[in-house]
Amino acid sequence: MNEYIIRGGRPLVGEVTISGAKNAALGILAASIMSDESVIVENLPDVSDIRVLTQAIREIGARVDQIDQHTVKINGSTITDYYVDNEYIRKIRASYYILGALLGKNGYVEVALPGGCNIGSRPIDQHIKGFEALGAKVDIHNGMIAVQADELVGNHIYFDVTSVGATINIMLAATLAKGQTIMENVAKEPHVVDVANFLNSMGANIKGAGTDVIRIMGVEKLHGTEYSIIPDMIEAGTYMVAAAATQGDVLIKNVIPKHLEAITAKLVEIGCHIEEFGDAVRVIAKKRLSHTHVKTLPYPGFPTDMQPQISTLLMFSEGTSVVTESIFENRFIFTDELAKMGAQVKVEGNSAIIVGVPRDRVTGAKMSAPDLRAGAALVVAGLVADGVTIVNQIGYIERGYEDFDIKMRSLGADIEKIDEKDEKAITRFKQQVV
Ligand code: EPZ
């Protein structure tokens, strides 16, 4: 297994280009098999979650041609298998999008229950509610979720919980249902809007994505399209926080500044200088930042996927901060890892009280990534801490960050990816004269 080894203390300086949005790409890849014509998807992030879903689509019979590292051509007309279960698909969250994508096309689909980061119980009751509202029968057995519908008929669906996954999944199914579907209390994240825009580019009739109410008029079938995925706002936010934490000066390119507004506002509030351009943001932090309060909320609020990163930044800031995680019930596990570096964080219920510690009193440590975003946050902590930090279980990080160590090195970070058994490499890194 690989791990990252990091020597802290260098400010990040330079330019970094953001990849396509993982959480848009997963919904779009699933949607691409709803047509019997060819679909070309560009600006895919080269991360393991995307490779897993692409392989699963190939294994049920779709034609999938890798045009280049970030572009695939997909044709769903050759799908013969509506039973999707393998060790890889069970690890990712987005496997359930195959249900919404194929239900309208085949009337019966069975997929392994979703995996994903261990950040809470992550039920799927809202997905089930939506499928049943459209006239489907749902059965969970042997670790599988099976959905069957002779005919999908539009309905008025009010979600009890604002759910990105359920919003996307039911939008997929309703696209080929008969008549109108109205969905309320929906997720408004940019990646939800991107999936809706993609479906509309295939001939779907979806209005209101990004607002509280989505209206869908079902269509008979979808045609092919060529589409480029939006930039990943969470990858962008992660580099913004890394620039701030290391007191650097970084231009983050290929972003949509509007998607980053909640992150930008919080960083400015604690003392960062941020310049916005058409498709880039520049983050400058030349002094120790101050404390603040953060509460994660559905978009356009502060994103839960940026909570570990901002919590880590605040552990170096002046004063006491409070971070409240209102989306997931178990997303502070990583603070136990940060405590190994000397961080002063106390978790009480769904809030973390963070007492800022000067950078020179936070020392490198060996830590394990508990999930995707927390793993990235531990790397950010290692970029700041005094001495050498090792972060293992980096498979989590590589699920959602393309070339994470390569991009960080291009900004001046002293970070390498090594085999955790390669003691010589660890010794060599530690003996390097800086
Ligand atoms: C998506 O997960 C993202 N994953 C997550 O990103 C992200 O943290 C999350 O949305 C929130 O923004 C993908 O898009 C692949 P939810 P999802 O359904 O869809 C509850 C990352 O780092 N809920 O919006 O699973 C749920 O328990 C990952 O890229 C129900 O109660 O999240 C949670 O408390 C981590 N019933 C809240 O809703 C349901 O049926 C939000 O979950 C569904 C969800």
Side-chain angles (χ1 to χ4, degrees), residues 96-114:
Y96 49 34
Y97 291 153
I98 293 176
L99 295 167
L102 293 181
L103 192 55
K105 201 175 181 180
N106 184 62
Y108 181 83
V109 205
E110 199 168 334
V111 178
L113 280 166

Side-chain angles (χ1 to χ4, degrees), residues 16-296:
V16 66
T17 299
I18 298 304
S19 302
K22 167 180 82 82
N23 293 343
L26 292 165
I28 286 169
L29 285 173
S32 66
I33 57 177
M34 293 171 69
S35 168
D36 285 341
E37 297 178 17
S38 290
V39 166
I40 293 180
V41 182
E42 297 162 352
N43 200 34
L44 279 166
D46 185 7
V47 296
S48 60
D49 269 14
I50 298 302
R51 292 193 288 272
V52 165
L53 186 58
T54 307
Q55 184 53 29
I57 288 170
R58 191 179 277 119
E59 283 183 7
I60 61 175
R63 256 188 75 87
V64 180
D65 300 315
Q66 193 78 36
I67 308 295
D68 64 36
Q69 186 184 5
H70 300 112
T71 308
V72 289
K73 182 176 178 183
I74 293 175
N75 184 307
S77 64
T78 51
I79 289 173
T80 53
D81 187 357
Y82 293 89
Y83 180 92
V84 187
D85 182 21
N86 61 52
E87 59 172 307
Y88 304 105
I89 200 75
R90 283 186 229 119
K91 287 181 182 157
I92 67 170
R93 183 85 196 143
S95 52
Y96 49 34
Y97 291 153
I98 293 176
L99 295 167
L102 293 181
L103 192 55
K105 201 175 181 180
N106 184 62
Y108 181 83
V109 205
E110 199 168 334
V111 178
L113 280 166
C117 289
N118 179 19
I119 50 180
S121 61
R122 307 187 81 177
I124 57 170
D125 58 305
Q126 299 302 303
H127 300 248
I128 294 169
K129 172 178 181 168
F131 286 133
E132 289 176 341
L134 296 175
K137 289 187 188 62
V138 181
D139 178 40
I140 293 179
H141 57 253
N142 310 106
M144 303 292 288
I145 173 168
V147 189
Q148 186 270 329
D150 298 332
E151 184 182 57
L152 289 175
V153 179
N155 202 338
H156 192 148
I157 301 165
Y158 188 92
F159 289 108
D160 307 312
V161 177
T162 301
S163 160
V164 166
T167 302
I168 290 175
N169 220 349
I170 304 313
M171 190 163 64
L172 294 171
T175 290
L176 295 176
K178 273 196 184 350
Q180 185 182 47
T181 295
I182 297 173
M183 298 162 61
E184 295 201 61
N185 192 26
V186 292
K188 298 182 275 194
E189 274 71 3
H191 32 285
V192 173
V193 177
D194 210 27
V195 176
N197 291 342
F198 174 76
L199 286 164
N200 283 338
S201 78
M202 293 169 78
N205 183 339
I206 302 171
K207 293 184 171 56
T211 72
D212 292 312
V213 184
I214 296 177
R215 296 173 193 283
I216 300 169
M217 189 54 77
V219 295
E220 284 292 310
K221 64 180 187 134
L222 297 172
H223 54 69
T225 187
E226 195 162 323
Y227 193 86
S228 184
I229 290 172
I230 57 169
D232 193 311
M233 60 184 264
I234 303 302
E235 185 194 15
T238 304
Y239 286 100
M240 292 170 76
V241 163
T246 58
Q247 296 189 10
D249 179 347
V250 176
L251 181 68
I252 296 138
K253 303 192 297 186
N254 189 35
V255 301
I256 298 173
K258 176 150 186 60
H259 294 168
L260 305 171
E261 279 179 350
I263 302 163
T264 300
K266 200 44 78 173
L267 291 178
V268 167
E269 184 188 314
I270 62 175
C272 289
H273 173 67
I274 293 184
E275 294 168 23
E276 285 188 1
F277 307 91
D279 61 355
V281 291
R282 184 178 176 192
V283 178
I284 305 170
K286 293 299 179 199
K287 59 181 174 49
R288 190 179 179 200
L289 300 169
S290 61
H291 60 278
T292 184
H293 283 200
V294 179
K295 181 174 183 181
T296 64

Side-chain angles (χ1 to χ4, degrees), residues 3 5 7 366 388 390 416-432:
E3 61 189 19
I5 187 165
R7 180 178 283 101
K366 183 162 186 175
V388 174
I390 287 177
E416 282 183 26
K417 177 160 62 172
I418 57 172
D419 183 316
E420 60 186 15
K421 294 191 177 58
D422 188 346
E423 290 300 332
K424 286 197 179 71
I426 295 169
T427 306
R428 193 170 49 244
F429 185 91
K430 287 181 175 177
Q431 285 170 349
Q432 270 169 5

